[in-house]
Every structure is written in structure tokens, then in C-alpha cells.
Amino acid sequence: NAGVTQTPKFRVLKTGQSMTLLCAQDMNHEYMYWYRQDPGMGLRLIHYSVGEGTTAKGEVPDGYNVSRLKKQNFLLGLESAAPSQTSVYFCASSPQDRDGYTFGSGTRLTVV
Amino acid sequence: SQQGEEDPQALSIQEGENATMNCSYKTSINNLQWYRQNSGRGLVHLILIRSNEREKHSGRLRVTLDTSKKSSSLLITASRAADTASYFCATATDSWGKLQFGAGTQVVVTP
């Protein structure tokens, strides 16, 4: 029972580079989310998905894109990384809206 | 702007003592949830309390909700060193079901 798996766990990018963070869940959850966590600011929602083929913007979507081609996977892309995107990124999933979330272990991204 | 804010920001107690932290929020909610995060790890869901509930228990955890004051509290009884973590409250409103998190309370339990 893996739950929510995020890859990679760590990454260092140079400004302007692109990358994709992968989130996979094996619980058949409909909803998936990407959050970023910065010191003293809690978690902020970047994008979310309410089902396969759907995506929507959260609180801080600028500079990120997402895709959910398969129900179990939710990808977060950075097209042109900026130092302000240095953060810890968490993926989460839930069976329905307003349910408790299951989180992945996070991806620590540093943009230099 | 954050929906929920935890108080205190940090709490240091000894094993066996109780730990209490509070969460205040701004707009009406559908439910409020508490999560734990151990250092360098993901968040773990602890408990969910709905807007029509006033108190809920789960093992050594007790959560209260006062919708008139827009506040909630999390009590950890008989704390253990393993309870050392950051604790976050998160709210889901009727109009926005996605969770909004506070900045967290850092709890240190010393043996």
C-alpha cells in the first residue's frame, strides 16, 4: 500500500530550466492536489484536479502547469524555473471534495 | 491570505504532559481538519470535525470546534517524544472545498 508517491525527492535546477514533478496514487482517489510549503507560510495550493482529464488553478498557480492524463497520476511542470520557486512541493489526494487528504513525502526543489 | 492561524507558533513540553494548540479561521466552514508533519516528511491526517460537531476524539487526541468563535483546539494527552512534530489545521469551506492550511504549531516533547 504505497499511498501517494512523489518523484523525485530532491532536485536542484538552474534558473530558466524546466522540470516535471510526478505524483502517483494507488487508492483510486478522484481528487489530487499540488501544494508548496515555504517556511512560516503553511501550505499553499498550486493546482488541483477533480478527476481524470481535469485541472484547475489554486491560490498560487503562476509559473506552473499540470496535467492529469491518467487518474492515478498528476504531473506538475515548471516551464522556466525561478529562484522564487525554491520550495518543498507536496502532492495529495482525496476520495472526494472536503475529505481528509493523503500526502506524499514531498519534493525538495532548489532553484539557483 | 490564510484562512486558518494556529496558536502558539511553538510549544515545548515534557513527556506525560498535555499539549493544547488552537486554530482560528475567518470564514464559515464545512469542516476543519488537523494534520501532523514530522520533520522532513509529508503531512499525516489526524482528525476531521464537521461544522455541526462540537467535539471529537481519536485515541489521545481531542478536537473541539466552536463555530460561533470560528476556532478549534487540538489537545494531545499524555504526550510522548514521538509526538514531536508540527501540527496544522486546515479548513474546507462550503464555497471552496479545497483545504486551506495555517502556518502550523511546532511541538517539541522532551523525555
Side-chain angles (χ1 to χ4, degrees):
Chain A
N1 55 341
V4 177
T5 303
Q6 291 183 235
T7 54
K9 295 192 185 307
F10 303 93
R11 186 71 186 269
V12 178
L13 282 181
K14 293 183 178 179
T15 298
Q17 285 185 322
S18 63
M19 77 163 295
T20 300
L21 283 67
L22 173 63
C23 176
Q25 54 99 357
D26 61 2
M27 298 168 288
N28 202 35
H29 285 174
E30 288 293 334
Y31 289 72
M32 296 187 75
Y33 316 85
W34 277 106
Y35 284 85
R36 60 178 287 173
Q37 184 178 32
D38 301 294
M41 299 189 70
L43 279 77
R44 292 181 292 168
L45 182 64
I46 305 171
H47 285 281
Y48 66 97
S49 168
V50 302
E52 181 178 313
T54 75
T55 63
K57 294 180 180 180
E59 303 169 62
V60 289
D62 294 342
Y64 305 95
N65 57 75
V66 287
S67 65
R68 188 147 178 223
L69 300 178
K70 294 183 179 181
K71 185 176 184 178
Q72 63 268 34
N73 295 336
F74 195 28
L75 279 62
L76 177 71
L78 286 73
E79 293 181 343
S80 180
S84 60
Q85 294 178 305
T86 293
S87 188
V88 182
Y89 291 86
F90 287 99
C91 177
S93 69
S94 65
Q96 295 191 27
D97 205 12
R98 303 178 179 83
D99 278 339
Y101 290 5
T102 300
F103 278 84
S105 57
T107 295
R108 187 173 295 275
L109 175 66
T110 301
V111 183
V112 298
Chain B
S1 63
Q2 287 178 316
Q3 160 75 325
E5 292 186 5
E6 289 92 343
D7 174 63
Q9 291 185 330
L11 182 60
S12 184
I13 57 174
Q14 291 192 318
E15 269 192 326
E17 294 181 338
N18 295 341
T20 300
M21 60 210 84
N22 304 296
C23 172
S24 60
Y25 57 90
K26 298 174 183 175
T27 60
S28 62
I29 60 170
N30 174 279
N31 68 66
L32 185 144
Q33 304 179 26
W34 285 92
Y35 289 78
R36 183 187 74 232
Q37 183 180 36
N38 292 94
S39 181
R41 308 292 294 272
L43 282 74
V44 174
H45 180 256
L46 296 176
I47 199 163
L48 181 155
I49 187 165
R50 302 191 187 283
S51 59
N52 61 353
E53 298 175 312
R54 292 296 168 259
E55 188 171 311
K56 225 171 172 181
H57 297 256
S58 176
R60 294 185 294 112
L61 304 180
R62 173 179 170 253
V63 169
T64 61
L65 179 64
D66 187 334
T67 54
S68 66
K69 295 181 179 178
K70 292 186 171 62
S71 67
S72 173
S73 67
L74 171 66
L75 169 67
I76 306 172
T77 60
S79 61
R80 306 166 180 169
D83 294 327
T84 293
S86 292
Y87 293 82
F88 294 87
C89 72
T91 54
T93 65
D94 283 322
S95 60
W96 177 249
K98 274 50 72 180
L99 292 181
Q100 292 178 283
F101 288 81
T105 293
Q106 193 169 11
V107 175
V108 175
V109 182
T110 54

